[in-house]
């Protein structure tokens, strides 16, 4: 039983690379040639942006690049995780000095990160650098605890930080420094994101280059920062149709599972391939599904049956949709875009199901798992698709497809949704082999085409309006996000903190099963996200029946992701 618990810990307790030790990360990570190329790009000169949905491996790449560079003699790596940026958001609602403080926080994190790198190398910081490190540590602590009035005064700027990094490079006997900035542009408010990219664009010299992890759909770049020109974009989202994809995920399963559990999955022909395809190129989703099957197999002795795999796939599809709908709380101004996005997902799945069902009835071979949507794609739809890509619900293929005078964009819905919504035209209980063939063996001549109005209705653009909040007195919508007084009645407009609203959100917003939610409600007083985060030792969770250390760690991790990612 100890071996099983350890195995579950590697599977279910820690999904995120930032929660793993160096030994765990290096032992559990699988690198193909493509992944090795990404790591080389992270250590090279020049600015880079890693882009991909949640769970696609951005943090894994950054942490691995950090550890690899530590062992080499050329590059001084500095790893910084900006996931706590959301804790600064309330300051933007109350302090006129918020933006300069935020810039100081960004730079102080880099100084402190450089000091940590020197310690990893067994080096004491240079004397002139040590004073700055102490100030940086105090500054970060004061700002994150929202004790702004206690923050030490500092004149730290980009030029000064670049000079300090040059000192560190020389002190460490390296040629140059690489900044690896994790969770760099997700939870930030738009004004924070723009300020980050102002700093990011300036963090370059003959001694220093910066790399950062960003998300599709939710990242706001400054007008002076041009992706492709100021920083090369690297898409890390794996494609299930890549030749090495299935073998790579099979290796991940072999590393994450103990020998007996892996053998059980292998004995059921096609089951690992089924789960790998259903994960839609997102390794974290694959690992979560493996954890579900191992746990349930241990409890029910169903020997990794197709039933358990189907249950895991349904949970994965529901989880992806929950991550998407949670954007209504994280990005309240895009609340209407998220609503239209849910309609788009349902319409795409419905169209694919109708098309595939028709082919099954007529006895035709070949199934579709993609949809061609006719251009033009208005900006509103690009924003919706970006938000869907952030959650990994839908993927927009690069480029266009031509058919005479018409051009189309190719949208691919999450494979777990295709399976759970029976959209592949295989009936309600398809075999594993049939599902794998439908997802993996598509015919290029079989195509489904639609126009946006047929999917969303003629008024979809007018429904994609920003929600800037209404006046509590007269109900009039505010005219812009920065407005402090109602343009209609003159009343002071309430300034809402997204961070505080996320903490106050219901636990039902977390992507966990309805059965587990019911158990939490019945056997504890946990009702809000903040109740989980305040219980640092997870004592309240551990008192709930059938929730042990592994599940408690996982639930707390999901709560942290909800707020900080």
């Amino acid at each position: 039983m100890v071996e099983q618990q350890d195995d579950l810990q590697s599977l279910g307790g820690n999904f995120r690379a930032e929660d793993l030790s160096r030994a765990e990360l290096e032992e559990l990570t699988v690198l193909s040639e493509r992944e090795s190329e990404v790591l080389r790009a992270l250590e090279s000169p020049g600015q880079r942006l890693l882009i991909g949905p949640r769970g696609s491996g951005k943090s894994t790449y950054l942490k691995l690049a950090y550890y690899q560079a530590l062992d080499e003699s050329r590059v001084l790596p500095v790893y910084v995780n900006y996931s706590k940026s959301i804790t600064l958001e309330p300051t933007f609602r109350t302090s006129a000095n918020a933006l300069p403080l935020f810039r100081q926080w960004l730079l102080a994190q880099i100084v402190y990160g450089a000091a940590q790198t020197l310690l990893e190398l067994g080096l004491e910081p240079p004397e002139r650098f040590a004073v700055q490190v102490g100030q940086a540590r105090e500054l970060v602590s004061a700002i994150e605890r929202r004790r702004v009035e206690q923050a030490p005064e500092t004149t730290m700027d980009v030029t000064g930080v670049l000079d300090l990094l040059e000192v560190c490079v020389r002190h460490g006997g390296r040629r140059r420094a690489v900044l690896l900035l994790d969770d760099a542009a997700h939870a930030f408010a738009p004004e924070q994101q723009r300020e980050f990219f102002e700093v990011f664009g300036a963090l370059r010299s003959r001694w220093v280059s910066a790399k950062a992890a960003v998300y599709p759909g939710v990242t706001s770049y400054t007008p002076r920062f041009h992706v492709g020109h100021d920083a090369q974009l690297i898409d890390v989202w794996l494609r299930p149709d890549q030749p090495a994809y299935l073998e790579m995920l099979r290796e991940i399963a072999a590393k994450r599972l103990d020998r007996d559990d892996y053998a059980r999955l292998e004995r059921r022909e096609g089951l690992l391939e089924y789960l790998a395809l259903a994960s839609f190129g997102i390794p974290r989703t694959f690992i979560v599904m493996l954890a579900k099957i191992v746990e349930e197999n241990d409890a029910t002795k169903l020997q990794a049956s197709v039933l358990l795999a189907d249950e895991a796939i349904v949970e994965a599809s529901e989880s992806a949709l929950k991550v998407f709908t949670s954007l209504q709380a994280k990005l309240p101004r895009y609340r209407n875009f998220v609503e239209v996005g849910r309609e788009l997902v349902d319409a795409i799945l419905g169209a694919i199901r109708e098309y595939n069902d028709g082919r099954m009835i007529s006895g035709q071979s070949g199934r579709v798992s993609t949809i061609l949507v006719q251009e033009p794609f208005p900006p509103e739809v690009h924003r919706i698709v970006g938000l869907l890509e952030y959650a990994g619900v839908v993927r927009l293929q690069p480029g266009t497809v031509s058919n005479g005078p018409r051009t189309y964009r190719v949208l691919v819905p999450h494979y777990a949704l295709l399976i759970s919504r029976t959209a592949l035209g295989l009936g309600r209980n398809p075999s594993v082999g049939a599902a794998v063939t439908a997802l993996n063996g598509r015919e290029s001549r079989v195509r489904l085409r639609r126009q946006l109005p047929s999917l969303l209705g003629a008024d979809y653009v007018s429904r994609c309006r920003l929600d800037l909040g209404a006046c509590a007195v007269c109900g009039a919508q505010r005219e812009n996000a920065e407005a402090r007084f109602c343009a209609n009645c003159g009343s002071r407009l309430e300034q809402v903190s997204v961070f505080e609203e996320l903490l106050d959100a219901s636990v039902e917003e977390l992507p966990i099963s309805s059965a587990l939610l019911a158990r939490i409600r019945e056997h504890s007083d946990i009702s809000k996200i903040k109740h989980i985060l305040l219980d640092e030792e997870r004592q309240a969770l551990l008192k709930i029946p059938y929730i042990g250390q592994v599940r408690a760690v996982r639930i707390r991790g999901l709560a942290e992701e909800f707020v900080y990612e």
Side-chain angles (χ1 to χ4, degrees), residues 336 390 475:
N336 296 319
Y390 156 78

Side-chain angles (χ1 to χ4, degrees), residues 344 348 352 369-373 377 385 394-397 409-413 452 455:
L344 180 61
I348 288 172
I352 292 175
S369 58
T370 65
I371 186 169
L372 278 65
V373 181
F377 254 49
V385 171
V394 164
R395 185 169 191 162
L396 179 65
Q397 300 280 36
R409 299 303 305 272
V410 181
L411 290 175
V412 188
L452 283 166
L455 295 170

Side-chain angles (χ1 to χ4, degrees), residues 263-282:
R264 289 190 190 103
L265 285 170
E266 278 281 76
R267 277 198 293 270
R268 184 62 177 87
E269 186 177 352
L271 198 61
L272 272 174
E273 192 174 1
Y274 184 45
L275 294 168
L277 289 169
S279 69
F280 201 45
I282 303 175

